[in-house]
Every structure is written in structure tokens, then in C-alpha cells.
Amino acid sequence: NAGVTQTPKFRVLKTGQSMTLLCAQDMNHEYMYWYRQDPGMGLRLIHYSVGEGTTAKGEVPDGYNVSRLKKQNFLLGLESAAPSQTSVYFCASSLRVAGELFFGEGSRLTVL
Amino acid sequence: AQKVTQAQTEISVVEKEDVTLDCVYETRDTTYYLFWYKQPPSGELVFLIRRNSFDEQNEISGRYSWNFQKSTSSFNFTITASQVVDSAVYFCALSSVANDYKLSFGAGTTVTVRA
């Protein structure tokens, strides 16, 4: 029972490089989310999806793009990484609107 | 707009003491949901409770209890007889209609329980 799986778990990038974080869930959830966690700021929503083929902006979307081509996968892309994007990224999914979120283990990204 | 404030940044207690975590929220909606999540040192986020705005009953789950008071826009969390395993960061969160039910988190309260 995997739940929500994020890959990679750790990554170090140089400024300007691009990368994609993959989130996969096996619970058939409609809703998926990407958050970033920074010290003293809680979790902030980057982008989210309410179903396959849909995406929407969250609180801090600049510098990120997302895609939800398959219901079980939600990809977060950084086209040109910046040091300000150094953070821990969490993917989450939920079965229903305003429902309990199931989180992945997090992906620690460092941009030098 | 919606907002969650956890004024306590860090709390340190000795094992077996009770600890209460404050959460104050802001929303214009009458329909909303409040949550608490726990993040232990291992880093994962664990769901603790979900409460809707129409249910003001307090809830108890083992050593955990929650006090929801709409009059003061608060949803406080108490750990009774704390244990070392309770050491974690605790997040309060809010979801409301006006924000398309997106979940907004407070900054978190770090609880350290010393043996």
C-alpha cells in the first residue's frame, strides 16, 4: 500500500537548471496538490489539480509548472531553478474536496 | 481571504505535562473545515483531525483533545500527559468555500517533550 510516492527524495541543482518532481498516488484520488515547506512559514500551496487534465495556481505558483496527464500522477516542474526555490516539496492527494490530505514523504531540493 | 495563526512558535515541556497548542483562524465563510496535522522529526505529515464549521463539539482521541470555539475563531489542541513521542511540529489548517477549499496552513508549533 504505497499511498503517495514522490521522486526524487533529494536533489541538488545549479541555478538555471531544470528538473521535474514526480508524484504518484494509488488511491484513485481526484485532488492532488504540491506544497513547499520553508522554516517558519508552514506549508504553502504551489499548484493543485481537481482531476485528470486540470491544473490551477495556488498561493506561490511563480517559477513552477505542473501537469496532470494521468489521474494518478502530478508532475511539478522547475524550468529555471533559483536559490529561492530551495525547499522541501510535498505532494498530497485527497479523495474529496476539503477532505483529509494524504502526503508523500517530501522531496528536499537545494539550488546552488 | 483566509488565514491561520499559530502564535506559539515553540513549546517545551517535561514528559507527563499537558500542553495546549493555540490556533486562531480567519474566514468570511460560514462553511469551512479545520484540520490538525503532525510532522514528527522523520518529516512525514500525519493527519490528526478534521472538523467542519457546523460541529462545535469538542473531540477527544486518547491523549489528544480539541476545543473548537467559533465565538473566538479558535481550534485549540491539547496533548494530555505528554510523551517523548509527541515531539513534533504541529500544523493547524483551514479550508473554506471562498478559497475553493484549498488548504491554508499555519506556520506550525514545534513541541519538544523532554524525558
Side-chain angles (χ1 to χ4, degrees), chain A residues 58-79:
Chain A
E59 184 184 352
V60 288
D62 294 343
Y64 305 95
N65 56 74
V66 288
S67 64
R68 182 105 182 263
L69 299 179
K70 293 182 178 181
K71 186 177 183 178
Q72 64 268 32
N73 296 337
F74 195 29
L75 280 64
L76 177 70
L78 286 72
E79 291 185 347

Side-chain angles (χ1 to χ4, degrees), chain B residues 74-92:
Chain B
S74 64
F75 187 43
N76 296 339
F77 171 34
T78 297
I79 303 172
T80 302
S82 61
Q83 300 176 1
V84 173
V85 293
D86 295 326
S87 296
V89 182
Y90 291 87
F91 293 98
C92 181

Side-chain angles (χ1 to χ4, degrees), chain B residues 40-101:
Chain B
S42 52
E44 74 273 22
L45 284 146
V46 179
F47 166 81
L48 296 178
I49 190 171
R50 173 182 184 266
R51 173 69 73 207
N52 73 58
S53 54
F54 300 106
D55 183 0
E56 285 195 75
Q57 281 190 336
N58 292 331
E59 180 154 340
I60 299 174
S61 177
R63 295 184 296 105
Y64 293 172
S65 62
W66 291 268
N67 184 345
F68 178 26
Q69 291 195 330
K70 289 177 75 171
S71 60
T72 56
S73 296
S74 64
F75 187 43
N76 296 339
F77 171 34
T78 297
I79 303 172
T80 302
S82 61
Q83 300 176 1
V84 173
V85 293
D86 295 326
S87 296
V89 182
Y90 291 87
F91 293 98
C92 181
L94 168 67
S95 172
S96 70
V97 172
N99 205 32
D100 292 331
Y101 290 111

Side-chain angles (χ1 to χ4, degrees), chain A residues 3 7 13 40 51 68 101:
Chain A
T7 53
L13 290 177
R68 182 105 182 263
L101 293 188

Side-chain angles (χ1 to χ4, degrees), chain B residues 8-13 18-22 88 109-113:
Chain B
Q8 304 151 306
T9 305
E10 296 183 21
I11 300 175
S12 181
V13 297
D18 297 348
V19 56
T20 295
L21 285 63
D22 298 332
T109 298
T110 300
V111 174
T112 302
V113 182

